[in-house]
Amino acid sequence: MIISETPVRVSFFGGGTDYPEYFVDHGGAVLGTTIDKFAYLSVTQFYSRLFDYKIRLAYRKVESVNSLEEIQHAPFRECLRQCGISENIEVAYTAELPSFSGLGSSSTFVVGVLNALHSFLGHHLSPMDLAYQSIHLERDVLHEAVGCQDQVFAAAGGFNLIEFRKLDDIVVHKVSLSSARRQELESHLMLLYTGIQRRAQEVAARQIGKIPQNRDRLAKMRLMVDRAHAILTGSGSLTGFGDLLHESWCLKAELDETVASEPIREIYRLGREAGALGGKLLGAGGGGFMLFFVPPDRRQAVHNLLPGLEEIPISLDSPGSRIIHG
């Protein structure tokens, strides 16, 4: 049995500039980190001639089929096809956090499946080869409206400033933080689940369509990546990081009305009222997880004003997709 472990991510700044429709002409960058929450894919061989099916897939549903064309789960189907596998295999998926929640889980899934399948075949892919292959599968094969940051975070792991130059020229710059600085940042972060699920590509497709009219806003969001990186890697207060998150929130909300619905805006307003300096709705927008930057002594006040939202404790800078068994 092969088991892959692949992280989800939190993106702080630059989201939206990682769409090729933008960065191929203007350049893009994001600042973010993987967190200690993972998806697991297990791959097992079996002798299909002894069964009445050749492929078995287990996720929220179970599919037992005799050909790739019968598979309903498109990412599963195309990952198997890309790896040249059409029989004698069982693949099972489980995750610590729900899908469609803004943490890049769709790309985490694809990266994890491809990593496990390649390992099953005896192949080793570098993190960036795995990321490029996942980007190709999601964008060119599945024709999903996704950017390119999630695949890179899932494959490479870590706290990164990722620079997008061209589709085949993506550069990962590791952000070097001392243990004390990382813990200081973690103590200011609150990850809250809004309970609102949405398909990111529907929101993303609208944002992609509006790139021409949002070009100036996206350029400002790209510059925030450098400003935030300077704050993090400096020795001063992290207060400016929270303030910059609020500035980014205001700017991102202008990209499209679907980014922040009225319930989401109310959650953000209450978080700020309780003492959060800033925050962001993770992913393309519409729902999922809300991340607040909160002085530690105001955390309880945020809970008091948002009692219905579950907090998920997180640690930053987790490793990228890896084989933990097999």
Side-chain angles (χ1 to χ4, degrees):
M1 176 183 286
I2 303 292
I3 302 176
S4 68
E5 176 188 73
T6 308
V8 293
R9 62 95 186 101
V10 166
S11 178
F12 295 114
F13 294 97
T17 72
D18 64 314
Y19 295 120
E21 290 83 357
Y22 177 80
F23 72 70
V24 166
D25 293 325
H26 308 286
V30 297
L31 179 70
T33 177
T34 49
I35 62 175
D36 62 337
K37 300 295 179 282
F38 302 92
Y40 298 90
L41 275 298
S42 66
V43 179
T44 310
Q45 184 177 20
F46 72 98
Y47 297 97
S48 62
R49 62 181 179 272
L50 304 180
F51 297 80
D52 60 356
Y53 55 87
K54 294 182 178 180
I55 302 169
R56 185 176 187 272
L57 307 175
Y59 49 107
R60 183 176 293 182
K61 297 169 57 178
V62 174
E63 295 191 54
S64 299
V65 300
N66 284 299
S67 70
L68 293 178
E69 285 65 32
E70 295 177 66
I71 297 174
Q72 297 177 11
H73 193 290
F76 255 138
R77 181 182 65 242
E78 299 309 323
C79 284
L80 287 166
R81 193 192 309 277
Q82 184 157 308
C83 292
I85 300 172
S86 60
E87 62 181 3
N88 298 331
I89 194 165
E90 178 170 340
V91 189
Y93 164 74
T94 187
E96 295 184 67
L97 296 176
S99 303
F100 311 127
S101 56
L103 298 176
S105 57
S106 296
S107 296
T108 289
F109 174 87
V110 171
V111 169
V113 173
L114 288 177
N115 197 15
L117 292 179
H118 279 294
S119 180
F120 176 76
L121 294 171
H123 304 157
H124 172 73
L125 269 63
S126 72
M128 286 310 299
D129 284 342
L130 183 58
Y132 284 128
Q133 198 173 110
S134 301
I135 290 169
H136 166 71
L137 191 143
E138 288 194 81
R139 289 185 55 86
D140 302 329
V141 178
L142 295 172
H143 302 292
E144 294 183 351
V146 296
C148 298
Q149 64 165 306
D150 296 348
Q151 304 87 343
V152 178
F153 275 117
F159 205 132
N160 305 312
L161 190 162
I162 304 175
E163 189 180 359
F164 303 94
R165 300 171 179 174
K166 300 294 179 183
L167 260 173
D168 59 352
D169 187 10
I170 299 172
V171 182
V172 177
H173 305 279
K174 294 292 184 182
V175 178
S176 181
L177 298 179
S178 68
S179 177
R181 189 66 160 177
R182 179 175 58 79
Q183 290 175 15
E184 181 185 5
L185 177 60
E186 288 176 350
S187 72
H188 284 75
L189 299 179
M190 293 183 69
L191 184 65
L192 303 176
Y193 186 51
T194 67
I196 303 170
Q197 289 186 310
R198 83 289 177 272
R199 293 198 64 86
Q201 59 177 308
E202 296 170 1
V203 180
R206 288 178 59 93
Q207 292 182 30
I208 290 172
K210 290 188 174 182
I211 281 175
Q213 66 197 73
N214 283 324
R215 195 170 289 122
D216 290 344
R217 294 185 181 95
L218 290 167
K220 292 178 182 178
M221 293 169 72
R222 165 62 184 91
L223 292 175
M224 287 180 180
V225 170
D226 297 327
R227 291 166 61 190
H229 181 265
I231 293 170
L232 278 182
T233 56
S235 57
S237 168
L238 286 177
T239 298
F241 193 87
D243 294 336
L244 198 58
L245 278 171
H246 178 63
E247 186 179 335
S248 178
W249 165 273
C250 296
L251 197 56
K252 188 168 184 177
E254 296 175 0
L255 296 179
D256 186 76
E257 60 270 18
T258 61
V259 170
S261 63
E262 187 54 43
I264 295 298
R265 291 175 187 270
E266 179 64 8
I267 289 172
Y268 188 77
R269 186 190 68 78
L270 290 172
R272 289 262 296 168
E273 182 180 319
L277 300 182
K280 66 168 299 185
L281 188 64
L282 296 174
F289 279 95
M290 178 76 78
L291 182 75
F292 282 117
F293 184 95
V294 186
D297 62 348
R298 300 301 300 166
R299 296 178 75 94
Q300 190 56 51
V302 173
H303 279 301
N304 291 344
L305 276 185
L306 296 168
L309 303 190
E310 181 79 18
E311 181 181 7
I312 305 298
I314 57 172
S315 294
L316 311 181
D317 201 11
S318 61
S321 186
R322 57 184 178 171
I323 303 301
I324 60 173
H325 186 276

